[in-house]
Amino acid sequence: MIVMKFGGSSVESASAIQRVASIVSTRLERQPIVVVSAMGKTTNKLLSMAACAVNGRRAEALEAMEELKRFHLNEAPHAADAIAGRFLELEEILKGVAALGELTPRTIDLISSYGERLSSLIVTDVFRTLGMDAMHLDSRSVIITDRRHTQAAPLFTETYPRLAATITPLAQSNKVVVMGGFIGSTLDGVTTTLGRGGSDFTASIVGAGVGAEEIQIWTDVDGMLTCDPTILTGGHRVKTISFAEAAESAYFGAKVLHPATVVPAVERNIPVLILNSRRPDSPGTRVIADRVPCRNVVKSIACKRDITIINVTSTRMLMAYGFLRRMFEVFDRYETPVDMLATSEVSVSLTIDNPKNLPRIVEELSQFSQVTVESDLAIICLVGDSIHDTPGVAGRIFTALKNINIRMISQGASRLNLGFVVSADDLRDAVSRLHAELFSDLDPDVFE
Ligand code: ASP
Ligand code: MG
């Protein structure tokens, strides 16, 4: 058994779904279980019509709903009845939200669940018309979660036995089970969702529950590259990377895989493949639990743009305790995550990527320290699990960057990254020098 997950862009239209069908149909002997996201940008649209309805813009909400309905009918005319039925329900719910002027997280989940409920029905239907023995499964009957609406956590001890009992016999009798990602339900049957981007999580939970031999995440990129293609072209495909390394690159900008979503797969030692549904023959990237030995000390250069550094200095910090707590309480109060941190005896520098509350943060910090702010920066993060025990790495890196001003350095506690901050204007130049230094001679077992 394998789990094949197709994201929103892989199922965004009739022709995209045809592509998915042909990918699945050439892998039937591996007993695929198919998990799909909502079509294209459907989830965003559902959430915005809900917001419209609750804000008294009822007609606008219903018009947006009609448009989404036309889109689904247009891309999937065969499934017209099923689609119309779901939209009738959705219309009732939106009218209710508008009438009450109230939108609870529970109702948000109900509304946003329609994206995956529709796409999974449509994909099942297309598979069937092409002669596949496909069967739709309502994920809400097997993915059982707690009640934290919009961000629900699966209850594994409830979910795993249900998955094994329901899906395994179907897959083994060569039925192609198709289910929506992202959605689940509480023990008493109330619809929940796993958080935005949750379909990868569903795929990983399903894979773990049925003991799949592999989980395939089909997206629109060729897997992980040695550098971010939006910054530098000519990066090499990373054939294999460890979960720990993939997670580290994801924290720092690589959007390919959200680290938390693969935890169930890691725990059961199931490899996760990242594949491109527009180039299905490209072998993608394999993410595995074990270390991946590699001649190159760095496996990937991840970047994060729009970074701000806040420098906090206090002479009172010298020999004092409690300063860091006081400082972090400010970030806590304004719900602003801190990415990177460096301290000396009297000063702390830290980076944030969400400047929404920056003025208020600065104001509060200024009450007990001197604060300066630098913006238009970028983090470059080198990921590779032998960075820390290979002598001379820092020397090579900083020599390669010789004319570039490095604003902050952090060698993470995770033991597999080396990160630093440069000006946004220097980002491309810095990445290209590092890439030339680190990837001119490639380990053919790891890169292509
Ligand atoms: N459709 C959901 C979202 O857009 C889940 C997903 O695509 O993974 O967040
Ligand atoms: Mg997605």
Side-chain angles (χ1 to χ4, degrees):
M1 282 180 289
I2 59 172
V3 174
M4 305 177 76
K5 180 263 174 178
F6 295 90
S9 65
S10 302
V11 293
E12 69 189 358
S13 63
S15 57
I17 295 175
Q18 291 287 334
R19 233 175 354 244
V20 166
S22 79
I23 292 170
V24 173
S25 67
T26 56
R27 288 158 176 86
L28 292 176
E29 79 289 352
R30 299 188 72 187
Q31 300 178 324
I33 300 152
V34 176
V35 174
V36 292
S37 289
M39 291 174 70
K41 299 265 170 274
T42 298
T43 310
N44 288 348
K45 290 177 184 158
L46 290 166
L47 291 171
S48 77
M49 66 185 79
C52 245
V54 74
N55 289 325
R57 307 202 308 271
R58 180 182 189 269
E60 204 182 313
L62 294 176
E63 179 43 44
M65 189 207 73
E66 286 300 329
E67 196 189 315
L68 191 66
K69 178 171 147 189
R70 282 194 295 274
F71 162 75
H72 279 85
L73 286 172
N74 196 32
E75 299 299 334
H78 284 297
D81 287 349
I83 295 171
R86 297 295 89 72
F87 275 97
L88 263 175
E89 297 163 20
L90 183 57
E91 183 175 344
E92 291 302 314
I93 301 165
L94 288 171
K95 285 178 175 166
V97 169
L100 295 169
E102 186 183 82
L103 181 61
T104 60
R106 173 175 169 155
T107 306
I108 292 176
D109 273 352
L110 184 59
I111 292 173
S112 59
S113 74
Y114 278 93
E116 272 71 8
R117 287 160 67 187
L118 284 158
S119 65
S120 55
L121 282 171
I122 290 169
V123 169
T124 311
D125 192 71
V126 173
F127 283 9
R128 285 226 186 106
T129 53
L130 294 173
M132 266 189 260
D133 193 3
M135 213 194 109
H136 181 257
L137 174 69
D138 190 333
S139 301
R140 295 172 299 169
S141 67
V142 280
I143 306 288
I144 308 301
T145 73
D146 64 16
R147 297 165 187 282
R148 278 185 292 163
H149 285 287
T150 74
Q151 218 37 266
L155 305 175
F156 291 105
T157 51
E158 297 289 339
T159 299
Y160 284 157
R162 281 177 170 76
L163 288 167
T166 314
I167 297 179
T168 307
L170 291 169
Q172 283 171 349
S173 61
N174 297 319
K175 290 226 182 302
V176 180
V177 172
V178 180
M179 52 198 290
F182 178 58
I183 58 177
S185 89
T186 62
L187 266 174
D188 43 5
V190 179
T191 299
T192 54
T193 67
L194 304 174
R196 295 306 306 272
S199 296
D200 290 355
F201 197 18
T202 306
S204 160
I205 297 165
V206 172
V210 304
E213 61 185 272
E214 184 174 293
I215 297 163
Q216 303 181 342
I217 307 287
W218 290 83
T219 64
D220 50 11
V221 295
D222 282 340
M224 292 193 53
L225 299 177
T226 49
C227 61
D228 182 336
T230 64
I231 293 168
L232 184 71
T233 53
H236 309 282
R237 182 172 62 86
V238 183
K239 291 199 275 192
T240 315
I241 194 164
S242 71
F243 282 115
E245 291 168 326
E248 201 65 41
S249 357
Y251 291 129
F252 288 101
K255 296 264 155 37
V256 184
L257 196 66
H258 192 294
T261 63
V262 291
V263 170
V266 188
E267 282 172 357
R268 306 225 163 168
N269 217 340
I270 303 171
V272 176
L273 263 78
I274 301 159
L275 297 158
N276 188 347
S277 60
R278 283 177 175 72
R279 299 193 336 123
D281 296 327
S282 169
T285 296
R286 192 178 188 81
V287 186
I288 60 169
D290 294 336
R291 278 193 67 168
V292 178
C294 178
R295 262 193 355 238
N296 299 68
V297 63
V298 170
K299 294 210 179 64
S300 167
I301 304 176
C303 303
K304 200 166 178 181
R305 284 177 262 216
D306 299 322
I307 295 293
T308 303
I309 292 186
I310 305 175
N311 301 299
V312 189
T313 307
S314 166
T315 43
R316 269 174 294 158
M317 186 174 161
L318 192 64
M319 314 290 283
Y321 52 85
F323 178 80
L324 288 175
R325 176 180 50 71
R326 207 167 157 196
M327 190 185 83
F328 279 117
E329 272 169 4
V330 176
F331 290 90
D332 203 27
R333 227 172 358 263
Y334 292 103
E335 295 177 354
T336 300
V338 170
D339 284 330
M340 217 188 240
L341 179 73
T343 66
S344 78
E345 189 64 51
V346 293
S347 70
V348 181
S349 295
L350 42 80
T351 68
I352 60 169
D353 67 355
N354 173 6
K356 193 176 131 222
N357 292 316
L358 184 60
R360 277 174 290 175
I361 291 172
V362 170
E363 191 186 309
E364 286 208 23
L365 292 173
S366 301
Q367 290 164 12
F368 57 94
S369 58
Q370 289 143 290
V371 184
T372 60
V373 172
E374 302 168 57
S375 12
D376 298 321
L377 302 168
I379 291 179
I380 298 178
C381 180
L382 306 177
V383 178
D385 59 15
S386 54
I387 290 179
H388 285 239
D389 37 37
T390 310
V393 181
R396 279 176 70 192
I397 289 162
F398 295 119
T399 306
L401 292 175
K402 53 180 178 292
N403 298 322
I404 293 172
N405 185 25
I406 295 165
R407 275 297 310 113
M408 191 173 147
I409 302 173
S410 142
Q411 188 154 15
S414 68
R415 299 196 53 81
L416 36 83
N417 80 53
L418 177 63
F420 40 87
V421 179
V422 299
S423 145
D425 293 337
D426 289 334
L427 178 62
R428 202 178 169 277
D429 188 24
V431 171
S432 114
R433 286 169 192 231
L434 289 166
H435 198 265
E437 169 64 30
L438 297 164
F439 298 109
S440 52
D441 178 28
L442 293 177
D443 185 336
D445 288 342
V446 181
F447 305 100
E448 181 189 73

